[in-house]
Amino acid sequence: MFWKFDLHTTSHIDTLLEKEDVTLTEVMDEDDVLQECKAQNHKLVDFLLRPQCMEDLVTFITQEPSTDVEEKVKYKYPNISCELLTSDVSQINDRLGEDEKLLMKLYGFLQNEPPLNPLLASFFSKVLSILIGRKPEQIVDFLRKREDFVDLMIKHIGTSAIMDLLLRMLTCIEPQQLRQDVLNWLNEEKVIQRLVDMVQPSQDEDRHSNASQSLCEIIRLSRDQMFQVQGCSEPDPLLATLEKQETVEQLLSNIFDKEKNESAIVSVIQILLTLFETRRPAFEGHMECPPGMSHPSFSVNHSILEAVRPRLKDFHQLLLEPPKKNVMKTTWGVLDPPVGNTRLNVVRLVASLLQSNTHSINTELINLNTLGVILDMYFKYIWNNFLHIQVEICTAMILAMPPAPTDIQPDTEQDHARESILIKHLFQKCQFIQRIVDAWSSNEKEQAEGGRRRGYMGHLTRIANSIVHNCDKGPNGPQIQQLISELQAEDREKWEAFISGQLADTNKRNTVDLVIMTSFAFSDYQMQQMTSNFIEQFGFNDEEFADQDDVVDIPFDRISDINFSLNTNESANIALFEARCKEKIQQFEDAGSDEEDIWDEKDVTFAPEAQRRPSSGSTDSEESTDSEEEDGKRDPFEASNPSTDDRMEVDTGWYCDGWLGTSVASPSSTSPKDCGRSKSEEETACCEQRSITETVINGSMKETVSLTVDAKTETAVFKSAFTTITACQDVSHKYCHICFLTSATI
């Protein structure tokens, strides 16, 4: 081994540091300087802690490199300086965090005019972040004394590294009380209001994006902290400010009272969507459980909804007249205008508003016919699946949600008390059923003429299934049934024919295709995964049961390269096989009576580690002992170890090949009707007829091939049968990896 001969190289840093005039750059030129620093080489750490060296390290990460330096090494020393300062060496952290002169030099980087050098900004942010985590009291105290700190952070919010630093101040401060003090300080400095002012058309896209992301992360971090720290009595002041009605109104005013700017609009919608999250979603767009269904009492801060409701008409107008977009040419046609990021996010906002299930919001959407416009977009933009999934979410929630509390009319009868105004609007005003049937028929007509299947058909299938499901089992089932019965006779007949015809056929075809795809995918996965790492995955290695001197390192590359091919249609092969069978049978009949009968049943005994020898072509039955004919002969290992713990009992006459998943039957399987015959009769019958069965398992299919050789008539018969595996029924397969894997996965 490398270390056995003591060939390791020694660091030159110790030798270099013995020089009196050694410079910082000379030390930084050493390849192992970072490793030696993290290993806390005393000479190196003492050298770096020199006042001039610490000052030079900070200078490297806060000042622009000289333009005369070659580009490929321009940021070499700033990068190494950053790594040295953030190597988490306690002495360096102490010196940097407690020396106000060094902190002022570091803080001076923020006082540069924007835009900041993004690479140097990342170095600065990384160094200050580790100081906040290791020296929170000292750093917070230092920053609070700087009156322009919040102003500078907001000024440079367009630089992503500065945004990260702001968020780090909310997450890396460990003492709860100190964190609360920081939140109160930032709230007093009106950091939320300043970030809100950054999201308006007059600012650039980088500021829009980073300010929006900062506000979204503040919301999520604050809510997560509230869930984690249940005993916290003080509310989060930043979250409280964000959820105020005037804050949301200011956000909306920034995008609607000035010129339309897509970047600002999308950024504001992202903030609203985050405000509407009362808990983090585990998934998005999963139709089996759309958002809101697991907790129908989904609630949003009332002040947020009150701020948004008057602006719904403005969002609706964005669907009709989005910010101007250039004509988009695609492979199938021209989009004029394309959907655009603005309208897509407005639809997402509508889905979140529907999730709140608020009567005033629902009523406003109905009055504006926003759902009708969204459905028009769904059927117009046939290839935009981002739009389709949001429309599917909207319809799924409308069909499955109970009516909003104020939707319940107390004067009506009990059976008709709960009616959803959204469902009524969807089925009557939007003609939901008719549009689904018409779109389906139009698609079938185009396909019959050689056209493509429309891109929304998969979502349309799930929407139709959602109607059928909620009609039968949903909370709004009676209302949906009533609305369908009120359709015109022609429309009702078309719907009934559709769900019993095209929809049922599609569901059946999708189910069959899914089963076939799953079966083939599993089979292919099973065959491809059995590579040389199969042993490591399951933990059964033949080498564990063999003498180490006998181990042969033969890699098991691919099981799929092993072919089991039995062609029963070639007469030449059959004739040759029959001839060979005659020769073997004749040899068996001529054999002396003292020789061991190889056809007798044998107990299969697996030797422990000291006795087992691996063989790629042998079977376990070849190593078994004959317990019937030679009762007095015992395995020497078994005699010396009477314990039965090392012996695995397997049904007599069977063995399971764990690698190949192949079961081979013993030729002398005895049926119940033969139990009364003598041993000599059994031997005679055994010699007259032999039967061998081989089972090949491939994925979920099992092929059983049997060969019956009749010595009396001198014939050999092949039989083959295919079956589908549901679970391994053979008790002898309980230690078989393939059978275990197959039954468990299927």
Side-chain angles (χ1 to χ4, degrees):
M1 295 300 178
F2 177 75
W3 56 87
K4 182 176 180 180
F5 301 100
D6 195 22
L7 297 177
H8 63 279
T9 58
T10 58
S11 173
H12 296 285
I13 289 182
D14 290 342
T15 305
L16 182 63
L17 291 174
E18 293 177 357
K19 294 171 53 179
E20 294 182 359
D21 56 346
V22 62
T23 63
L24 178 61
T25 54
E26 289 179 329
V27 174
M28 295 171 69
D29 285 335
E30 292 295 323
D31 294 335
D32 57 348
V33 61
L34 296 180
Q35 289 82 350
E36 291 294 323
C37 181
K38 292 179 180 180
Q40 300 192 20
N41 182 309
H42 296 296
K43 288 185 178 181
L44 177 60
V45 172
D46 292 341
F47 175 79
L48 295 176
L49 289 176
R50 294 177 182 178
Q52 187 60 45
C53 289
M54 290 295 295
E55 184 176 349
D56 291 343
L57 289 173
V58 174
T59 301
F60 275 126
I61 65 173
T62 55
Q63 290 186 3
E64 288 282 347
S66 174
T67 56
D68 299 334
V69 181
E70 189 178 357
E71 189 66 28
K72 64 180 181 179
V73 295
K74 189 175 183 179
Y75 293 98
K76 173 185 175 181
Y77 294 129
N79 179 51
I80 297 176
S81 298
C82 176
E83 295 299 323
L84 290 173
L85 292 174
T86 59
S87 57
D88 207 14
V89 176
S90 59
Q91 297 94 316
I92 296 178
N93 293 336
D94 294 340
R95 178 63 58 85
L96 188 57
E98 296 172 359
D99 191 328
E100 188 164 345
K101 181 181 177 181
L102 292 175
L103 288 177
M104 283 300 301
K105 190 174 188 61
L106 185 65
Y107 180 80
F109 179 76
L110 281 178
Q111 297 174 335
N112 294 325
E113 289 298 318
L116 297 176
N117 183 311
L119 188 56
L120 293 182
S122 67
F123 296 153
F124 164 80
S125 177
K126 186 176 181 180
V127 172
L128 197 56
S129 295
I130 196 170
L131 289 178
I132 292 174
R134 296 294 182 264
K135 298 287 182 180
E137 292 85 358
Q138 294 91 327
I139 301 303
V140 169
D141 183 66
F142 171 80
L143 294 177
R144 294 188 66 171
K145 292 178 180 178
R146 314 275 84 75
E147 296 181 357
D148 59 346
F149 173 70
V150 176
D151 292 335
L152 293 175
M153 293 289 287
I154 300 299
K155 181 180 180 180
H156 297 299
I157 198 66
T159 303
S160 298
I162 304 303
M163 176 196 68
D164 294 338
L165 178 61
L166 176 61
L167 297 177
R168 190 62 63 92
M169 293 186 64
L170 305 178
T171 58
C172 288
I173 299 179
E174 191 63 30
Q176 180 61 32
Q177 186 57 48
L178 182 60
R179 180 180 183 275
Q180 190 67 35
D181 293 341
V182 171
L183 295 178
N184 293 330
W185 165 51
L186 293 177
N187 190 55
E188 293 171 0
E189 293 290 335
K190 299 186 182 300
V191 67
I192 297 298
Q193 293 86 337
R194 295 183 184 185
L195 288 173
V196 168
D197 289 339
M198 289 290 103
V199 190
Q200 53 181 318
S202 61
Q203 301 292 339
D204 57 53
E205 291 187 9
D206 289 337
R207 285 187 171 87
H208 292 163
S209 177
N210 289 346
S212 173
Q213 186 175 346
S214 298
L215 291 171
C216 291
E217 289 301 318
I218 289 173
I219 296 170
R220 294 191 178 104
L221 290 170
S222 299
R223 289 176 175 173
D224 288 346
Q225 187 71 14
M226 290 173 59
F227 285 120
Q228 293 173 4
V229 185
Q230 300 293 339
C232 182
S233 58
E234 297 185 57
D236 191 313
L238 298 182
L239 179 61
T241 302
L242 260 170
E243 292 181 337
K244 286 183 178 179
Q245 184 171 342
E246 52 265 31
T247 304
V248 180
E249 289 175 347
Q250 182 61 46
L251 276 171
L252 296 172
S253 177
N254 289 347
I255 59 174
F256 288 129
D257 295 344
K258 301 174 183 179
E259 60 176 335
K260 292 181 180 179
N261 181 284
E262 182 172 74
S263 174
I265 293 172
V266 171
S267 297
V268 169
I269 293 178
Q270 293 296 325
I271 299 171
L272 293 177
L273 291 174
T274 308
L275 285 171
F276 289 147
E277 296 175 0
T278 59
R279 62 188 70 179
R280 282 198 174 188
F283 54 86
E284 180 177 353
H286 195 272
M287 286 299 92
E288 283 70 21
C289 183
M293 295 303 98
S294 59
H295 39 277
S297 59
F298 187 97
S299 61
V300 178
N301 193 308
H302 185 70
S303 61
I304 302 174
L305 294 173
E306 284 301 310
V308 172
R309 185 178 58 81
R311 292 291 187 173
L312 286 177
K313 62 180 185 299
D314 297 312
F315 284 113
H316 179 83
Q317 193 63 28
L318 285 176
L319 294 176
L320 301 176
E321 298 178 6
K324 185 64 177 177
K325 302 286 290 185
N326 296 328
V327 176
M328 181 179 295
K329 295 182 180 180
T330 67
T331 55
W332 65 272
V334 177
L335 294 177
D336 187 16
V339 174
N341 203 13
T342 296
R343 291 200 287 181
L344 181 61
N345 277 275
V346 170
V347 176
R348 293 184 62 195
L349 179 62
V350 171
S352 293
L353 290 170
L354 289 172
Q355 187 178 5
S356 69
N357 200 19
T358 306
H359 177 70
S360 59
I361 298 293
N362 295 346
T363 303
E364 190 70 18
L365 291 174
I366 290 173
N367 294 337
L368 294 169
N369 192 30
T370 303
L371 296 177
V373 174
I374 291 176
L375 284 177
D376 291 340
M377 293 173 58
Y378 178 92
F379 291 109
K380 177 181 178 180
Y381 297 97
I382 62 177
W383 300 110
N384 194 317
N385 290 147
F386 297 104
L387 172 64
H388 301 157
I389 186 62
Q390 295 302 323
V391 176
E392 185 184 350
I393 290 174
C394 291
T395 57
M397 283 190 297
I398 292 174
L399 293 171
M401 281 191 312
T406 51
D407 287 346
I408 302 175
Q409 296 81 16
D411 298 334
T412 59
E413 297 180 1
Q414 183 67 22
D415 294 341
H416 304 282
R418 300 180 64 82
E419 287 191 355
S420 169
I421 59 176
L422 288 172
I423 293 179
K424 184 177 180 180
H425 173 73
L426 195 63
F427 278 76
Q428 292 182 350
K429 177 70 174 178
C430 300
Q431 296 186 327
F432 196 34
I433 295 293
Q434 296 91 326
R435 299 195 72 171
I436 291 175
V437 175
D438 292 343
W440 198 286
S441 300
S442 178
N443 174 75
E444 287 186 339
K445 182 179 178 181
E446 288 185 8
Q447 283 191 277
E449 296 173 354
R452 293 182 178 179
R453 184 174 185 263
R454 295 180 179 179
Y456 57 64
M457 291 304 295
H459 295 282
L460 195 64
T461 301
R462 300 206 295 188
I463 291 174
N465 285 327
S466 180
I467 296 176
V468 175
H469 173 77
N470 285 282
C471 182
D472 296 336
K473 302 178 181 179
N476 303 300
Q479 182 185 4
I480 297 175
Q481 295 173 11
Q482 179 65 26
L483 291 171
I484 293 177
S485 66
E486 294 175 357
L487 295 174
Q488 295 183 2
E490 182 180 359
D491 294 334
R492 187 171 62 254
E493 291 174 359
K494 286 182 179 179
W495 171 253
E496 292 174 353
F498 165 71
I499 61 177
S500 61
Q502 296 119 307
L503 182 61
D505 293 341
T506 300
N507 290 334
K508 182 179 179 181
R509 183 170 58 252
N510 290 344
T511 303
V512 173
D513 291 345
L514 179 62
V515 171
I516 293 176
M517 290 174 60
T518 303
S519 175
F520 277 101
F522 169 73
S523 176
D524 182 67
Y525 169 81
Q526 183 183 15
M527 300 300 285
Q528 292 187 12
Q529 290 298 313
M530 294 182 61
T531 56
S532 56
N533 65 345
F534 179 84
I535 299 174
E536 298 179 1
Q537 295 174 355
F538 284 88
F540 290 92
N541 192 336
D542 282 345
E543 296 178 6
E544 297 178 3
F545 303 97
D547 293 333
Q548 295 302 315
D549 294 337
D550 298 331
V551 173
V552 180
D553 188 12
I554 302 177
F556 185 78
D557 292 330
R558 293 221 5 151
I559 187 68
S560 57
D561 294 334
I562 302 176
N563 297 320
F564 298 95
S565 178
L566 293 176
N567 191 339
T568 60
N569 297 323
E570 297 182 4
S571 58
N573 291 343
I574 295 176
L576 178 60
F577 181 80
E578 291 178 352
R580 294 297 299 171
C581 287
K582 292 179 183 180
E583 296 177 4
K584 293 297 180 183
I585 294 173
Q586 184 65 32
Q587 293 177 9
F588 296 152
E589 293 177 350
D590 295 341
S593 59
D594 295 335
E595 295 182 1
E596 178 182 336
D597 189 349
I598 66 171
W599 296 107
D600 278 351
E601 295 183 11
K602 297 178 176 61
D603 289 336
V604 180
T605 302
F606 291 84
E609 180 176 356
Q611 296 293 326
R612 185 177 178 88
R613 295 183 181 275
S615 176
S616 59
S618 63
T619 66
D620 294 336
S621 60
E622 294 173 355
E623 298 176 2
S624 64
T625 61
D626 191 339
S627 60
E628 289 187 359
E629 293 186 357
E630 300 177 297
D631 295 335
K633 297 180 180 180
R634 308 297 296 177
D635 187 10
F637 179 82
E638 184 179 354
S640 60
N641 295 276
S643 174
T644 59
D645 294 340
D646 294 332
R647 177 170 178 170
M648 182 174 69
E649 295 182 0
V650 183
D651 286 356
T652 58
W654 289 84
Y655 87 93
C656 179
D657 188 339
W659 297 115
L660 306 181
T662 305
S663 299
V664 180
S666 171
S668 59
S669 300
T670 305
S671 61
K673 66 181 181 178
D674 296 331
C675 292
R677 296 190 301 179
S678 65
K679 184 175 181 180
S680 59
E681 291 175 343
E682 292 178 359
E683 293 177 350
T684 304
C686 181
C687 292
E688 291 179 351
Q689 188 171 3
R690 314 293 188 200
S691 177
I692 300 177
T693 303
E694 181 175 11
T695 302
V696 180
I697 298 175
N698 184 5
S700 61
M701 299 300 298
K702 179 174 71 175
E703 179 182 4
T704 303
V705 181
S706 63
L707 170 65
T708 303
V709 181
D710 194 334
K712 187 174 182 180
T713 60
E714 298 185 351
T715 59
V717 180
F718 271 105
K719 292 183 180 179
S720 177
F722 287 89
T723 57
T724 303
I725 299 175
T726 57
C728 184
Q729 303 297 332
D730 188 354
V731 296
S732 67
H733 287 203
K734 60 184 178 180
Y735 294 101
C736 175
H737 310 304
I738 301 302
C739 294
F740 173 77
L741 178 62
T742 303
S743 61
T745 306
I746 292 179

